[in-house]
Amino acid sequence: MNEPKIRYPENLVLKAEVEKSGRTIEELADAIGVFSLLLSHTINGYYKGTNIIAKLKKELR
């Protein structure tokens, strides 16, 4: 099975931050107003999500 290529490895640090927060992707997606799938793709490096990253960082502070 082919895994999608990680196009934005710089986003992977966000995955660790989300895990440290103790919140689920669904909770964070609701809080910042995006679909959970889009947030998941962003923190896993498949989508650049510049505007999503800014909102996520603000929410994780």
Side-chain angles (χ1 to χ4, degrees), residues 48-60:
K48 187 163 184 153
T50 306
N51 58 338
I52 295 170
I53 291 171
K55 290 178 184 179
L56 179 61
K57 285 181 177 180
K58 187 175 180 182
E59 183 66 29
L60 291 174

Side-chain angles (χ1 to χ4, degrees), residues 20-47:
K20 282 196 299 189
S21 77
R23 297 169 72 185
T24 66
I25 289 177
E26 290 81 11
E27 289 171 337
L28 289 167
D30 286 343
I32 64 174
V34 298
F35 290 113
S36 58
L37 182 62
L38 190 56
L39 180 58
S40 176
H41 281 224
T42 302
I43 67 171
N44 286 301
Y46 303 126
Y47 179 72

Side-chain angles (χ1 to χ4, degrees), residues 12 31 45 48 61:
L12 297 178
K48 187 163 184 153
R61 278 193 240 161

